Amino acid sequence: MEKDLFCPVRLCMLRGFRLHRCPYWIRPSITVSDHSSVLFSTKKHPRTKDLLLEDFWFSALKKGVMVFALPGEPGLTELAGDFKIHFHDRQGDFYCWLNTTMKKIEKY
């Protein structure tokens, strides 16, 4: 039986977010951080800091799906290891910790 191999640190590019079954009034600001620093924040990024929340969330073709991305940019930030995504909204905050090491290494 072959063991699953996991990469200790995998570098990934965060390109954007999709919120499914999202009410039209939910347009959170976003902060992405690791254990020691903020990696991305809509409140501090040069392209989003002066915009209203409604200005950088886009409706997808599918009803109830909202998309956040920065057109013309390769991604929001590079991630490696543990990272936290924190959504800030008028109705409250929500965050979750994720990890880039959970992806299995493919052997060819």
Side-chain angles (χ1 to χ4, degrees), residues 19-60:
L19 299 180
H20 292 259
R21 297 184 182 165
C22 182
Y24 69 91
W25 64 86
I26 303 290
R27 300 295 177 268
S29 59
I30 302 165
T31 301
V32 179
S33 60
D34 59 14
H35 290 286
S36 60
S37 63
V38 173
L39 304 172
F40 173 82
S41 173
T42 54
K43 293 179 181 180
K44 296 180 181 176
H45 191 276
R47 290 193 50 197
T48 59
K49 69 180 181 180
D50 297 325
L51 298 175
L52 296 173
L53 297 174
E54 295 80 14
D55 294 337
F56 54 77
W57 282 96
F58 306 97
S59 294

Side-chain angles (χ1 to χ4, degrees):
M1 187 164 97
E2 184 180 337
K3 284 185 167 182
D4 286 340
L5 299 175
F6 291 93
C7 182
V9 175
R10 181 173 291 247
L11 189 63
C12 298
M13 177 63 74
L14 180 63
R15 298 191 182 274
F17 296 95
R18 286 185 190 174
L19 299 180
H20 292 259
R21 297 184 182 165
C22 182
Y24 69 91
W25 64 86
I26 303 290
R27 300 295 177 268
S29 59
I30 302 165
T31 301
V32 179
S33 60
D34 59 14
H35 290 286
S36 60
S37 63
V38 173
L39 304 172
F40 173 82
S41 173
T42 54
K43 293 179 181 180
K44 296 180 181 176
H45 191 276
R47 290 193 50 197
T48 59
K49 69 180 181 180
D50 297 325
L51 298 175
L52 296 173
L53 297 174
E54 295 80 14
D55 294 337
F56 54 77
W57 282 96
F58 306 97
S59 294
L61 295 175
K62 187 174 180 183
K63 185 178 178 182
V65 177
M66 293 303 297
V67 176
F68 173 79
L70 294 177
E73 303 243 353
L76 307 178
T77 187
E78 287 186 331
L79 305 167
D82 295 335
F83 63 98
K84 178 172 78 170
I85 300 174
H86 194 147
F87 296 100
H88 316 271
D89 191 65
R90 296 175 204 109
Q91 283 76 29
D93 288 2
F94 171 81
Y95 71 90
C96 61
W97 280 95
L98 299 170
N99 190 300
T100 63
T101 62
M102 302 303 279
K103 178 140 174 67
K104 184 178 170 183
I105 295 175
E106 301 291 330
K107 282 188 167 185
Y108 296 101

